[in-house]
Amino acid sequence: KNEVEQSPQNLTAQEGEFITINCSYSVGISALHWLQQHPGGGIVSLFMLSSGKKKHGRLIATINIQEKHSSLHITASHPRDSAVYICAVSGGGADGLTFGKGTHLIIQP
Amino acid sequence: DGGITQSPKYLFRKEGQNVTLSCEQNLNHDAMYWYRQDPGQGLRLIYYSQIVNDFQKGDIAEGYSVSREKKESFPLTVTSAQKNPTAFYLCASSTTREGSGYTFGSGTRLTVV
């Protein structure tokens, strides 16, 4: 069973700062997902990646398959980025995701 | 627009009562999932279904039951046998292709008093 670890658990930063959230997993995967959860609870999928790097607006996600490690970066952070960011992995097939515990990010104005 | 609808958003029940949470999707996804979220813990898989009329237990299935009579619907029943039912419940769906993305519902917060 895959173990997914995220760090840090909590992160408070000032508006404009560059943010990095890390995720590591223990067993080979078919894909890694970065998700965003706002206080209301609903989850939005930000990225799904199996290699390399993806960028969407101010968000960048990278993955190193050999190291079993992924990072989520936020450039020019803004208070509206405040949310819980969750890393999840899938092992192939359709038997669901294994989730990290999430990183609670607060961006102060 | 396609998506997943969970209802209700908030649900209160008395201890000892069964309660059913609804999950409907119009994405034509074959696979559907139920997850439970508790404070300080990652989401954990309760049940999943890859095809109509078939479903599999996840990591924490005890005290829960599901059905998959239609492709679009995957209701979850929290039974009185579930020791700590108060939690946030999230439904998701995906195709069965490897590398498929997942779509999530907005969740149901269940409080048992």
Side-chain angles (χ1 to χ4, degrees):
Chain A
K1 184 169 168 59
N2 224 327
E3 301 288 334
V4 180
E5 298 286 339
Q6 282 187 241
S7 63
Q9 280 188 285
N10 297 284
L11 178 57
T12 299
Q14 295 298 121
E15 184 173 355
E17 287 189 36
F18 181 82
I19 304 299
T20 296
I21 299 170
N22 295 299
C23 175
S24 61
Y25 52 93
S26 57
V27 178
I29 60 172
S30 65
L32 184 140
H33 305 252
W34 280 104
L35 312 167
Q36 182 189 57
Q37 185 174 32
H38 278 283
I43 288 180
V44 173
S45 179
L46 299 174
F47 295 103
M48 181 180 72
L49 62 166
S50 54
S51 66
K53 176 180 175 178
K54 286 190 176 181
K55 185 176 190 290
H56 185 254
R58 295 179 295 104
L59 301 177
I60 303 166
T62 64
I63 188 168
N64 184 320
I65 296 296
Q66 287 73 31
E67 298 286 326
K68 295 187 177 63
H69 180 269
S70 175
S71 294
L72 176 69
H73 305 286
I74 305 175
T75 62
S77 59
H78 189 276
R80 64 174 175 266
D81 297 325
S82 298
V84 176
Y85 292 85
I86 301 171
C87 171
V89 299
S90 53
D95 54 357
L97 298 169
T98 302
F99 293 82
K101 293 182 180 180
T103 295
H104 189 195
L105 174 66
I106 297 173
I107 304 297
Q108 295 177 334
Chain B
D1 284 340
I4 294 182
T5 301
Q6 284 189 247
S7 61
K9 193 171 178 65
Y10 298 96
L11 190 54
F12 295 86
R13 277 295 182 268
K14 290 185 178 178
E15 197 171 330
Q17 289 182 332
N18 291 357
V19 60
T20 297
L21 281 57
S22 169
C23 178
E24 305 275 334
Q25 54 101 358
N26 59 3
L27 299 162
N28 200 34
H29 284 171
D30 287 308
M32 296 186 74
Y33 311 85
W34 274 105
Y35 293 96
R36 170 181 170 139
Q37 187 177 41
D38 295 284
Q41 294 199 40
L43 285 93
R44 292 179 291 168
L45 183 63
I46 304 172
Y47 267 99
Y48 66 101
S49 167
Q50 297 181 348
I51 195 168
V52 174
N53 292 323
D54 187 47
F55 47 83
Q56 309 296 328
K57 291 183 179 180
D59 299 319
I60 54 165
E62 187 174 345
Y64 300 98
S65 66
V66 293
S67 63
R68 187 85 186 277
E69 296 176 3
K70 298 186 300 181
K71 188 175 186 177
E72 302 79 21
S73 178
F74 191 40
L76 173 74
T77 297
V78 185
T79 75
S80 56
Q82 169 50 232
K83 298 281 188 283
N84 297 296
T86 294
F88 184 70
Y89 292 88
L90 206 63
C91 179
S93 71
S94 73
T95 71
T96 51
R97 291 193 317 271
E98 184 163 329
S100 173
Y102 286 73
T103 301
F104 294 87
S106 56
T108 293
R109 190 165 299 279
L110 173 64
T111 302
V112 176
V113 295

